Amino acid sequence: MELTNHFPALILAILLGISFLSPILYRWARKASAPALIASLFLALVMAVYLLVQVLQVGEFTYYMGGWPPPWGIEFKVNLLRVYMLLIVLAVSLWIMVYALKDLEHELKTEVMGWYYTLYALVVGSMAGMALTNDLFNLFVLMEICAISACAIISIKEDRACLEASFKYLILSAMGTGCFLLGVAMIYMVTGQMNYDLVNAALPEAVELYPNNMFAAAALFIVAFGTKAALFPLHVWLPDAHASAPSPSSAMLSGLVIKIYAFALFIMFYQLFPRSLLESIPLNEIVLWLSSMGIMFGSIFAMVQVDLKKMLAYSSIGQIGYVFLGIGLDDIIAMTGGFYHLLVHAIMKSMLFMCAGIIIYTTGIRQIKQLGGIGQVLPITMIAFTIGSASMIGIPGTGGLISKWYLALGALEIGRPIFVVIILASSLLNAVYYMPIIVNAFMQQEQFQHQVKPVPRKMLIPLIVGMAAIIFFGVFSRPAIVLLDEALALFF
Amino acid sequence: MEMLIKIAHNYYYMVAILLFVIGMHTMLTHSNLIKKVIAMNIMDTSVFLMFVATGYTYGGAAPIVTAPANEVLYVNPLPGSLMLTGIVVAVSITAYALSLVVKIYRYYGTVDYDEICLIRSRE
Amino acid sequence: MDEATAITVILVVIFFPIIMTPILMSVSDRSEKLRDILAVVTSAITFLLVLTLYPFVVRGGIVQHTFFEILPNLEISIRLDVLSFSLTAIASFIWLLSTIYSIDYMAKEHGGSRYYPVLMFTLGSCLGIFLAGDFFTLFVFFELMSLISYILVVHEETEEALKAGYKYLVMTIIGGLALFFGIIITFELGGTVSFGVGSIIEEGTLIAFLAFMCFLIGFGMKAGMFPLHVWLPDAHPVAPSPASALLSGVMLKTGAYGLFRVIFNAFSIEVMQTNNWDIVLGVLAVITILLGSAVALTQNDLKRRLAYSSVGMMGYVLLGLSVLNENAIIGAVFHIFCHAIMKSCLFLAAGAIIWKTGKRTISELGSIGREMPFTMACFSIAALAMIGIPPLSGFLSKWTLGLGALDANATFYVIVLLISSLLNALYYLPIIVPAFFEMVGDEEQGHALKLSVQDVPPKMLAPMIILAIFTVIFGLSPINVPFDLSQMTSDFLLKGGWF
C-alpha cells in the first residue's frame, strides 16, 4: 500500500503531531489526552515493527522526504541496526509511559501534565528521527529538539534541585551542540555535502587537499556526543539531572536519551568517516580508555551515594561506558555486546528508576539507609529491584550476562584481556553497592517504620513486564544477537 | 609568510573560531547565568558565521534568479538557509534558557552560579 | 533404561525441587506439618529418581544432551557420567537425611517458611551443577546455588550471621567473576565449553594458565582452598545445623567437582603435568590440609572446629587431584563420598547437642555422652573415621590416597597425610573422650556410670544413625558401592573423561 512506504516519516509525524495536540486535548478533553499519547506511541511502535519485517525481507532501503533525492532532500535510511534502535526507543518509551500515567500525578502540578505529554512525545519523536536520519543537518535539528525537551522534562517538576540541574544540562548540552555544528561546518566546507553517504564518498578526495578538517571534525564529534552521552569526563551534568527529575523522566533519560547519542557516535565513525580515518588516528583508543575510566569511576562514585536516585544515575555513567567500550574495541563481537547492552540497560535501568519512583511515591523515602525492611511492605517492587540489580551485576539468567559475555569475548579476540578485568572489576563494584540495598530490604529485623500508601496496579504492571523482559533477554538472547550480527556486518 | 596570507584571505573563519572559543570559555568559566546564556549565543552565532562564510563565492551575485538575465556565478544559498534553521534553534534554546534563569532567580534569589552551588550544598 | 528416559529423569531431578519451591512457599502459610511432609517427600522423590539412574550409569552409559543454544556455539546441556552420578547420588542422599532432620530442628527456630523453599531450590540448583553438560550451564547453576544458599547462611539474622553472610556473598561474587573470566578464555581458546568434546585447551600458554588460575580461584573459593577459605569458618557455623551439614557436606563438593571438570575436560592430564600446574595444585592442597587441621586445634566453638576440619578434608581431594594417577583419583572421589557422610553426621550431631542443651563450646561438652549416648556414639564413629581408624571409611580413603602418592613417588604427600591424621586425632579425641568419660560432679559417688538419657527425638536421631552405619559399611566391607563407583570414575577419567 502506498501509505506503508511513508512509514519512516509517519512515525516522526505522528509523534510530532501528538506533541502539538496534547495541550489542546488536555485543555478541552482531559480524559482523552493520556490515551491519545499511548495510542500514538503504540501506533508508532506498530509501524516500526512493520519496518523491521520489511527490512528483513528486502534489505536496506531509503526514504526520501517529500520525494526529493539527496543532495537536495533529506534522506531516511532504514537498515537493521537503525530499526533495532528505533524499536528499542519506541518500545521502552511506551512501557515507561504506562508507568508514568500514575506517577506523574503526584510529582507534577496538574495544569502542566498536558505539557509533559508534549515534551515526552517530542523526546521520543526526535530520538526516533535520530535513529533513522541519514543527513547531518537533520541530525542537528533533531538533536536540538531532543536537547530542549530532555531538559524540559527535568525542569517541569519545578523544584529547586531540578531547575539547577536542568540548566546545567542545557548549558553543557548547548556546548555539545556548538561543537557538533562546528564539526559539521568543517565537513561541509570541504565536501559540500550533508548526506552521510555522499560525505563518505566525497571525503577521501577532500582529505587529500585538506587533511586537518576531518581530524577536527572527528575530535569535535567525540566531544559533542561524549557530552550528550555522558562519556567520562564529560558526564558531570548527569547525576544531578537524572536524580532530580521526576521518575519517568529519569527512566527515559537514563535508559534512552544517552544511548541514542552513543549510537550517533557509532554512525559517525562507521558510516560517515571512511575506514582509513579510524586506522590512521587511534580514535577508538581514545573512546576505549575514556569509557574504561567512566566504567570504573561511575561505579566508584555510586558506592558513596546516599540518595537512591543519585546512586542509580552514577551507575548509568558506568553502564553507558560499556556501550562505548563496545564501540571502542573496534571488533564486531564487542560491538554486538555493546549494542546488546544498550537494549538490556535501557530495560533494566528504567525498571530500577521505576522501582525508585514507586518507593518515593508510596513512602517518600529517598535515602538508602532508610530502606531497611522495605521488602516486607513492597515485595514486588523489591523483587523487581533485585532482578534489575542481578542483571547489572551480570548474574547468569539475566540479560546483563550476555552483553558482558560478548564484550569480554571481543576484548579477548583482539588480544587485550585487561578490558575483561575492567569489566569484571566493575561487576564486583556494582555488586558492592546494589547488594546491601537488597539485603537490608529483605533481611531487616525491625519492621518498616514509615507510612506506606498502597501501590497502584498501573505502576506494578510495567515492573512485571520489565522483569519478564530481562529474564527473556537473558535466556532467549539468540534472536537479538543474530539480528545484531547481521546488522553490524554491514558496517565492517 | 604563506600562513599569514592564508589567514588574511580567510579572516572570516579565524574570527568565527575566535568567537567560538570566547563563547565556550565564557560559558564554562563565568559564573553569572545570564552571561552563560549570552556566551552560548555567541558560540552558536560564531558557527553560523563560519557556515555562511563558507558559502560565499568571490565575485558571486546574490542567489536570486531574475529572468531573463542569468548570472554566471552565484553565492551558495544553501548554508544561509541551513543557518536560518540554526538561528531558529538557537533562539528557542535561548528562550528556554532565559525562562529557566527567571525561575532559578525566583527560587534561589541569585543568578550567580557559585552562590547557587553554595546554597545547594547547604541543603 | 535408554537415553531418552535418562534425559527425562535428569530434567525432573533438577527441576522438580525448583518447581516445588513456590508450592512450598504457599503451603507454609497454611499448614506447617504439610510443608514439612512435602519437603521430605520432594527430597525423597529426587533421591529415588537419582537412584534409578544407577543401572544405566554402571553399564557405562553416558548422556550428553544439548537443549538449546543460548548464543552461537554456547549451549545449555546436561551430562550424565559416572562422575556426575556419584556426586548427584551422594548430594541427594545427604539432602534427604538433612530434610528429615530439619523437621524437628526447625520446629524450634523461626523462619521455617523461608527455610524449606530455599532448601529445595538449593537442592535443585546443586543437582543442576553436577548434571551440567558444559561450563556455561555449570556456571549458571553455580551462581544460582551460591546466591540462594546465602539465604540459608543468614537464616538466623543475628549480627554475626549477617556479617558472615556478607563475607560469603562478596567472596561468592568474586569467585563467580573469576569463573566467568576462566570460562570466557576457554571459549575463546577452544571455541566451545562443552564437556562432550575432548580437552578444550591443548597448549599451556600464558593465557591458558590465566584461565587455570581463574578456575582455581572460582572453584577453589567454593571448595575452601587456601587462601580463599576465609568465608568458610564464619559461614558454616552461623547457619542452622542441617544447613551447615549441607554446606559442609555437599556444597563444598561442588567446588571440587568443578575442579575435576576443569582438569579433565577443560585441560587434560597431559597439559596439567607438562606445564607443572599440578604442582601448583599440590602446594595449595598441602597448605590447605595442614592449615585446616592446625587451626582447628585452636577453636573452642564446636561448629567452628568442624568447619576448619572441612577445610582440611577438602585439601585431601585437592591432593588427589594434583597427583593424578589411578589410586589418587579413586582416593579423591571416594573421599568426597566419605567426607560428605562423615561431616554431615558430625554437623547433625553437633546440631543435636546445640538443640537439646544449647551448648556450643567444646569445654562445656563434658559428660554429655551420658545424657545423649546415641548422638555422641554417632559423633564418635564419624570422628574416628575422620581420624582414619580402620575399618572405617575414612581409613580407606586415606589409604588409597597414600597409595596414589607412593605410586607417584611423592612420599612427602604421604607424610602430610599422616601428620594431618595425627592433627585430626588431636582435635577430635578431646571432644569424644570427655563426653563419655569425664566425671562431672560425680566424684563423690564413685565411678558408676549413670545414664540419664535425654536424647534427641527419633526424626533427628535416625539420619545420624544411618550416616554412622554407612561410615562403617563403606569401610572395609565387601559391599562398598561408593568405592566401586570411585574405581569406575577413575577408570573413566583416566581414559579421557568425555566420551
Side-chain angles (χ1 to χ4, degrees):
Chain A
M1 197 174 88
E2 249 267 324
L3 193 62
T4 61
N5 290 341
H6 296 288
F7 272 176
L10 266 182
I11 293 178
L12 205 55
I14 289 181
L15 291 167
L16 290 176
I18 195 66
S19 77
F20 290 135
L21 283 177
S22 270
I24 303 175
L25 282 176
Y26 197 73
R27 176 96 200 282
W28 279 292
R30 187 160 294 197
K31 290 218 192 289
S33 54
L37 180 63
I38 300 268
S40 40
L41 282 171
F42 186 71
L43 193 56
L45 182 63
V46 166
M47 289 191 199
V49 172
Y50 183 84
L51 281 180
L52 173 70
V53 169
Q54 213 178 345
V55 168
L56 285 173
Q57 285 169 344
V58 176
E60 178 178 285
F61 63 93
T62 56
Y63 172 80
Y64 304 141
M65 282 289 196
W68 294 102
W72 296 281
I74 294 175
E75 187 185 0
F76 270 16
K77 180 178 272 202
V78 185
N79 61 26
L80 266 181
L81 191 66
R82 289 164 182 268
V83 169
Y84 175 77
M85 285 303 299
L86 191 65
L87 280 172
I88 294 178
V89 165
L90 289 172
V92 174
S93 50
L94 174 64
W95 172 55
I96 297 177
M97 195 64 214
V98 173
Y99 165 82
L101 292 175
K102 211 65 178 110
D103 187 62
L104 289 172
E105 285 168 16
H106 96 105
E107 299 221 41
L108 302 179
K109 306 192 193 111
T110 357
E111 56 263 17
V112 297
M113 283 265 276
W115 298 107
Y116 188 88
Y117 298 150
T118 302
L119 295 166
Y120 196 90
L122 278 176
V123 174
V124 180
S126 56
M127 286 198 291
M130 276 199 272
L132 288 175
T133 185
N134 211 29
D135 183 275
L136 275 173
F137 203 75
N138 194 228
L139 185 69
F140 165 69
V141 171
L142 291 169
M143 222 160 70
E144 284 306 288
I145 301 179
C146 191
I148 298 188
S149 30
C151 293
I153 55 177
I154 303 176
S155 66
I156 199 165
K157 195 172 165 191
E158 283 196 51
D159 70 16
R160 297 167 69 121
C162 72
L163 285 174
E164 183 257 332
S166 172
F167 188 79
K168 186 158 58 180
Y169 183 20
L170 187 67
I171 291 292
L172 287 175
S173 192
M175 186 186 89
T177 309
C179 292
F180 175 75
L181 202 53
L182 193 60
V184 172
M186 294 283 148
I187 292 186
Y188 180 75
M189 260 165 41
V190 291
T191 58
Q193 307 288 353
M194 285 287 189
N195 186 296
Y196 294 170
D197 300 318
L198 293 173
V199 168
N200 195 7
L203 262 181
E205 354 171 334
V207 168
E208 305 277 309
L209 299 169
Y210 309 103
N212 297 320
N213 277 58
M214 201 164 66
F215 300 149
L220 287 164
F221 284 162
I222 292 185
V223 170
F225 291 117
T227 315
K228 287 170 175 284
L231 182 63
F232 183 91
L234 305 156
H235 64 281
V236 289
W237 55 270
L238 197 147
D240 281 326
H242 289 198
S244 55
S247 298
S249 310
S250 301
M252 162 70 92
L253 287 167
S254 253
L256 293 173
V257 173
I258 45 180
K259 309 290 188 335
I260 197 78
Y261 292 119
F263 170 76
L265 186 67
F266 170 81
I267 295 282
M268 294 294 123
F269 277 0
Y270 286 92
Q271 190 180 351
L272 189 75
F273 290 125
R275 188 85 192 144
S276 50
L277 172 70
L278 290 175
E279 279 150 23
S280 58
I281 12 170
L283 284 176
N284 288 95
E285 280 297 307
I286 300 173
V287 171
L288 192 59
W289 286 107
L290 287 178
S291 63
S292 305
M293 284 197 277
I295 294 175
M296 295 307 290
F297 280 112
S299 309
I300 294 177
F301 285 138
M303 285 199 294
V304 298
Q305 297 303 315
V306 290
D307 182 85
L308 181 64
K309 287 179 75 168
K310 214 171 221 171
M311 182 200 89
L312 292 174
Y314 273 106
S315 176
S316 281
I317 298 179
Q319 301 293 315
I320 194 73
Y322 283 130
V323 181
F324 278 113
L325 189 73
I327 297 180
L329 283 171
D330 197 20
D331 175 73
I332 192 169
I333 298 181
M335 298 259 188
T336 316
F339 274 92
Y340 198 77
H341 194 72
L342 208 141
L343 165 66
V344 171
H345 183 248
I347 302 178
M348 58 188 183
K349 191 42 75 66
S350 310
M351 194 169 85
L352 285 172
F353 269 112
M354 285 190 215
C355 294
I358 291 183
I359 294 177
I360 299 176
Y361 179 89
T362 51
T363 61
I365 295 181
R366 286 187 71 122
Q367 307 284 318
I368 295 178
K369 50 183 191 286
Q370 293 175 334
L371 285 176
I374 202 170
Q376 291 138 19
V377 286
L378 294 177
I380 300 185
T381 313
M382 288 321 287
I383 291 181
F385 195 91
T386 311
I387 293 188
S389 316
S391 187
M392 287 281 186
I393 300 170
I395 306 284
T398 59
L401 179 78
I402 307 286
S403 54
K404 290 198 170 96
W405 175 275
Y406 265 89
L407 282 170
L409 205 56
L412 283 177
E413 277 272 325
I414 61 171
R416 310 181 78 164
I418 181 84
F419 292 107
V420 185
V421 176
I422 291 181
I423 294 174
L424 294 178
S426 74
S427 299
L428 179 62
L429 291 172
N430 280 355
V432 168
Y433 60 79
Y434 279 118
M435 285 281 150
I437 302 181
I438 302 172
V439 170
N440 280 340
F442 285 114
M443 292 285 164
Q444 199 79 331
Q445 287 284 57
E446 315 95 51
Q447 296 292 25
F448 189 63
Q449 299 291 350
H450 305 256
Q451 288 289 80
V452 178
K453 290 188 340 208
V455 185
R457 214 164 340 148
K458 264 202 216 115
M459 287 163 80
L460 281 181
I461 294 181
L463 284 185
I464 299 178
V465 171
M467 286 194 269
I470 290 183
I471 297 185
F472 175 81
F473 283 118
V475 177
F476 297 108
S477 53
R478 199 142 195 273
I481 293 281
V482 167
L483 189 122
L484 267 180
D485 272 338
E486 212 183 304
L488 288 169
L490 280 178
F491 292 95
F492 278 86
Chain B
M1 190 59 205
E2 207 176 279
M3 186 60 82
L4 284 176
I5 298 179
K6 278 195 189 167
I7 292 181
H9 272 301
N10 299 316
Y11 67 93
Y12 288 119
Y13 304 143
M14 300 312 300
V15 169
I17 300 289
L18 194 62
L19 281 176
F20 186 83
V21 174
I22 290 176
M24 192 189 271
H25 178 263
T26 312
M27 203 160 82
L28 294 173
T29 54
H30 283 243
S31 59
N32 189 313
L33 293 182
I34 307 272
K35 277 194 194 169
K36 285 185 196 272
V37 178
I38 298 176
M40 184 175 76
N41 265 294
I42 295 178
M43 197 170 90
D44 285 337
T45 310
S46 73
V47 183
F48 301 151
L49 172 61
M50 179 127 188
F51 242 105
V52 172
T54 312
Y56 184 66
T57 330
Y58 284 96
I64 301 172
V65 175
T66 52
N70 280 334
E71 303 283 331
V72 176
L73 207 56
Y74 284 110
V75 169
N76 190 350
L78 184 63
S81 40
L82 289 178
M83 288 309 107
L84 278 173
T85 317
I87 291 173
V88 167
V89 167
V91 163
S92 41
I93 296 192
T94 310
Y96 176 56
L98 288 173
S99 68
L100 270 184
V101 172
V102 168
K103 271 261 165 3
I104 289 181
Y105 183 72
R106 204 173 291 166
Y107 277 87
Y108 287 96
T110 171
V111 279
D112 187 273
Y113 192 66
D114 293 333
E115 281 181 33
I116 294 176
C117 283
L118 271 176
I119 296 176
R120 290 219 29 81
S121 64
R122 264 186 243 126
E123 284 174 4
Chain C
M1 165 172 292
D2 64 325
E3 194 177 311
T5 333
I7 295 176
T8 332
V9 170
I10 294 174
L11 272 183
V12 172
V13 155
I14 299 178
F15 286 106
F16 176 60
I18 297 183
I19 294 176
M20 288 301 284
T21 308
I23 300 180
L24 276 171
M25 284 205 294
S26 58
V27 164
S28 302
D29 297 328
R30 270 175 285 153
S31 150
E32 294 203 350
K33 212 154 187 297
L34 184 58
R35 169 196 76 199
D36 295 344
I37 296 178
L38 213 50
V40 172
V41 163
T42 312
S43 46
I45 293 182
T46 313
F47 174 59
L48 292 171
L49 282 175
V50 170
L51 279 186
T52 60
L53 292 169
Y54 177 74
F56 178 79
V57 173
V58 156
R59 261 191 342 213
I62 295 187
V63 172
Q64 170 90 29
H65 184 80
T66 309
F67 282 112
F68 64 95
E69 269 198 351
I70 201 172
L71 290 174
N73 255 346
L74 194 69
E75 324 154 320
I76 302 281
S77 51
I78 53 168
R79 180 176 179 81
L80 180 68
D81 56 27
V82 198
L83 182 64
S84 335
F85 176 75
S86 312
L87 280 136
T88 319
I90 194 70
S92 48
F93 178 60
I94 307 266
W95 224 282
L96 171 62
L97 293 177
S98 277
T99 318
I100 300 177
Y101 180 96
S102 304
I103 300 180
D104 276 334
Y105 189 92
M106 294 307 289
K108 254 199 197 174
E109 305 271 341
H110 71 286
S113 56
R114 191 173 63 197
Y115 176 82
Y116 286 101
V118 170
L119 200 68
M120 288 300 116
F121 192 96
T122 322
L123 170 63
S125 33
C126 202
L127 295 183
I129 294 180
F130 293 133
L131 291 167
D134 60 88
F135 278 109
F136 187 73
T137 317
L138 194 143
F139 176 61
V140 172
F141 281 113
F142 192 83
E143 289 287 282
L144 267 180
M145 183 204 80
S146 305
L147 291 173
I148 302 290
S149 54
Y150 166 78
I151 303 182
L152 287 177
V153 171
V154 293
H155 180 86
E156 303 283 327
E157 288 187 38
T158 62
E159 193 178 312
E160 199 192 339
L162 285 171
K163 270 208 312 226
Y166 185 71
K167 204 192 279 192
Y168 173 70
L169 199 59
V170 170
M171 295 210 64
T172 298
I173 293 183
I174 294 179
L177 292 173
L179 270 185
F180 177 78
F181 199 179
I183 294 178
I184 231 193
I185 295 181
T186 313
F187 185 75
E188 171 64 26
L189 290 179
T192 175
V193 285
S194 168
F195 293 157
V197 302
S199 102
I200 301 179
I201 301 181
E202 313 243 324
E203 290 179 0
T205 58
L206 188 62
I207 201 157
F209 184 63
L210 183 61
F212 178 68
M213 288 310 290
C214 286
F215 277 126
L216 210 57
I217 294 175
F219 286 125
M221 186 233 89
K222 194 73 190 169
M225 185 180 79
F226 174 87
L228 302 156
H229 66 287
V230 289
W231 60 276
L232 212 153
D234 291 320
H236 284 193
V238 297
S241 294
S244 300
L246 289 173
L247 281 168
S248 243
V250 181
M251 293 195 230
L252 289 186
K253 312 299 186 293
T254 59
Y257 174 76
L259 282 174
F260 265 98
R261 289 294 182 195
V262 166
I263 292 178
F264 291 103
N265 289 84
F267 304 100
S268 65
I269 302 187
E270 290 87 48
V271 175
M272 293 285 295
Q273 290 179 327
T274 355
N275 294 293
N276 289 326
W277 293 345
D278 52 345
I279 312 251
V280 173
L281 196 53
V283 168
L284 287 169
V286 167
I287 302 180
T288 310
I289 297 175
L290 293 175
L291 186 87
S293 312
V295 180
L297 278 173
T298 68
Q299 299 300 316
N300 206 10
D301 181 274
L302 179 63
K303 287 176 83 171
R304 250 181 113 83
R305 184 173 283 199
L306 293 176
Y308 271 108
S309 169
S310 283
V311 173
M313 290 289 126
M314 287 312 291
Y316 282 31
V317 181
L318 296 173
L319 191 66
L321 276 180
S322 79
V323 173
L324 283 176
N325 61 28
E326 180 185 354
N327 274 322
I329 299 178
I330 299 180
V333 179
F334 188 63
H335 193 72
I336 290 182
F337 276 107
C338 295
H339 182 249
I341 299 178
M342 298 187 292
K343 195 39 74 65
S344 321
C345 188
L346 287 171
F347 264 109
L348 291 181
I353 297 177
I354 299 174
W355 188 81
K356 190 79 181 152
T357 63
K359 297 184 186 167
R360 291 187 75 108
T361 52
I362 294 171
S363 38
E364 296 171 341
L365 288 180
S367 89
I368 206 160
R370 269 182 268 153
E371 289 166 26
M372 308 172 69
F374 294 107
T375 312
M376 277 319 290
C378 297
F379 190 95
S380 312
I381 294 178
L384 289 174
M386 281 283 201
I387 299 173
I389 310 277
L392 300 170
S393 54
F395 165 73
L396 187 55
S397 67
K398 282 190 219 240
W399 177 262
T400 328
L401 278 172
L403 274 183
L406 283 175
D407 283 342
N409 284 327
T411 355
F412 175 64
Y413 289 156
V414 182
I415 301 181
V416 168
L417 284 173
L418 288 174
I419 296 181
S420 132
S421 301
L422 179 64
L423 289 171
N424 283 357
L426 280 177
Y427 64 73
Y428 276 124
L429 288 176
I431 307 178
I432 316 176
V433 173
F436 283 114
F437 297 117
E438 183 167 301
M439 303 290 138
V440 179
D442 276 333
E443 260 88 352
E444 312 94 50
Q445 287 158 20
H447 299 296
L449 270 179
K450 267 196 341 195
L451 282 177
S452 54
V453 179
Q454 319 156 38
D455 216 325
V456 285
K459 277 200 283 269
M460 285 170 73
L461 205 46
M464 285 192 278
I465 295 184
I466 295 179
L467 287 171
I469 293 178
F470 277 132
T471 313
V472 175
I473 294 183
F474 292 149
L476 289 179
S477 74
I479 46 160
N480 199 338
V481 175
F483 196 71
D484 298 330
L485 279 174
S486 314
Q487 279 175 319
M488 277 201 299
T489 313
S490 171
D491 284 334
F492 172 72
L493 286 174
L494 282 172
K495 276 189 279 184
W498 55 276
F499 42 79

